Amino acid sequence: FGFTPQFLKDLADGKVEQVVHTLPVSLGILAVMFGHEIGHRVVAALRGIKLDLPFFIPSLQTGTYGSITPLKSFPKSRSDFFDVAIAGPAVGLSMSMAAFIVGLMMTGYGEITEWYPQIPTSLLNSSMFIGAVSKFILPASVLNASTLAVHPLTIVGCSGLLINAINLIPVGRLDGGRIVQALYGRIAAGRISSITLFLQVLGAILGNSPLLLYWGLIAVLFQSRPDIPSQDEVNEPNDTRSAIGLTALVLMVLILAPYPEAAQQAAQTMQTMQNGRM
């Protein structure tokens, strides 16, 4: 899946059916990203906050890893700022979860057709949250295979969950950074952002994750600084908003953290490499 060398070669050879087969996935991911952006803009309009045009982060696998949407006006309060920040991930995660669950059910209990995308089964173990949901829905016989033909909604949901979770990383002007800034203030947000960037780079290197490293570079180049302050920086968001924000951050960790089996395999690989050097 994605703009791989084989995909581009088939396209150059005139095999247009490749485009037709990937179109449902591409359109589904774009729909999730559109819903994410609309969530931000609807709430921003309700709170009287002006947003600039979004800048989409390109991806060869999914088309986009999300977007950067600058603020054009100062939020009246930290509560308003929080509402705008959480709205996008709330819509995007809801759409992604619905697509993922429906896709898994149609994969495990529906009729498999030849145009279903083939993915490594280990891909479902790349995330603690995605792995747990997959094991709960899919039959064990399906998960025991090395590769799996999945309904396109499965890939749409999986990709949407990862993209929205990455946007929830508490760094700078990412949605997660804005949530932390709204809840705990600009000084605390700056400290949390620095710690998160360090952990993100460390995790990308130790976990061999180009995606985390790529987003770390994007955050450093474009999103590392805290966002503009609210007009009222004194009054904090209420307990309900704090609970919602913490829930979103915990969900982000569960989605980005590898499933225990994958983490164990990574640890064994690192141990083998260390033993080879000795």
Side-chain angles (χ1 to χ4, degrees):
F1 173 69
F3 291 96
T4 61
Q6 184 61 44
F7 176 85
L8 295 176
K9 181 179 182 300
D10 291 341
L11 196 60
D13 293 340
K15 298 180 180 179
V16 294
E17 65 271 11
Q18 296 290 341
V19 177
V20 176
H21 289 169
T22 59
L23 196 58
V25 174
S26 300
L27 293 178
I29 294 174
L30 288 177
V32 170
M33 293 298 96
F34 182 75
H36 180 117
E37 185 65 23
I38 288 297
H40 282 311
R41 294 191 174 274
V42 168
V43 176
L46 293 174
R47 298 294 185 269
I49 301 173
K50 296 181 180 179
L51 301 180
D52 209 338
L53 293 176
F55 170 73
F56 289 93
I57 308 300
S59 164
L60 292 180
Q61 280 72 41
T62 62
T64 176
Y65 281 137
S67 63
I68 300 172
T69 307
L71 299 181
K72 293 182 66 177
S73 64
F74 293 90
K76 294 180 181 179
S77 66
R78 286 163 57 178
S79 294
D80 288 351
F81 189 30
F82 173 85
D83 293 345
V84 174
I86 196 68
V91 175
L93 286 172
S94 298
M95 294 177 64
S96 301
M97 177 56 65
F100 186 58
I101 292 176
V102 172
L104 286 178
M105 294 179 65
M106 297 185 72
T107 296
Y109 303 98
E111 181 180 353
I112 303 298
T113 63
E114 60 179 11
W115 59 272
Y116 276 15
Q118 291 276 348
I119 64 169
T121 308
S122 59
L123 182 63
L124 297 177
N125 289 332
S126 60
S127 160
M128 184 181 299
F129 183 82
I130 291 173
V133 174
S134 299
K135 288 183 180 295
F136 180 77
I137 295 178
L138 292 178
S141 58
V142 175
L143 291 171
N144 289 335
S146 58
T147 60
L148 180 63
V150 297
H151 191 277
L153 283 176
T154 306
I155 298 180
V156 171
C158 182
S159 301
L161 288 171
L162 291 174
I163 293 170
N164 281 277
I166 288 173
N167 277 274
L168 280 171
I169 295 175
V171 172
R173 287 169 288 173
L174 296 177
D175 291 333
R178 288 174 170 174
I179 290 171
V180 169
Q181 180 178 328
L183 293 178
Y184 306 114
R186 289 170 59 82
I187 296 177
R191 293 171 179 170
I192 293 174
S193 178
S194 299
I195 296 172
T196 302
L197 274 176
F198 173 77
L199 295 176
Q200 184 175 345
V201 173
L202 186 64
I205 296 174
L206 296 180
N208 190 26
S209 174
L211 179 58
L212 283 179
L213 185 60
Y214 176 68
W215 256 102
L217 292 174
I218 292 295
V220 169
L221 293 175
F222 301 105
Q223 302 282 75
S224 58
R225 296 181 180 180
D227 219 316
I228 61 177
S230 303
Q231 297 177 29
D232 177 10
E233 282 287 322
V234 177
N235 294 310
E236 300 178 354
N238 57 30
D239 292 341
T240 300
R241 288 184 171 88
S242 297
I244 294 173
L246 287 175
T247 300
L249 295 176
V250 169
L251 184 58
M252 174 269 297
V253 173
L254 293 177
I255 292 174
L256 295 182
Y259 198 75
E261 293 178 2
Q264 184 178 5
Q265 292 176 0
Q268 292 175 350
T269 301
M270 292 179 61
Q271 185 64 38
T272 302
M273 294 174 61
Q274 292 177 354
N275 294 336
R277 293 173 182 173
M278 296 177 60

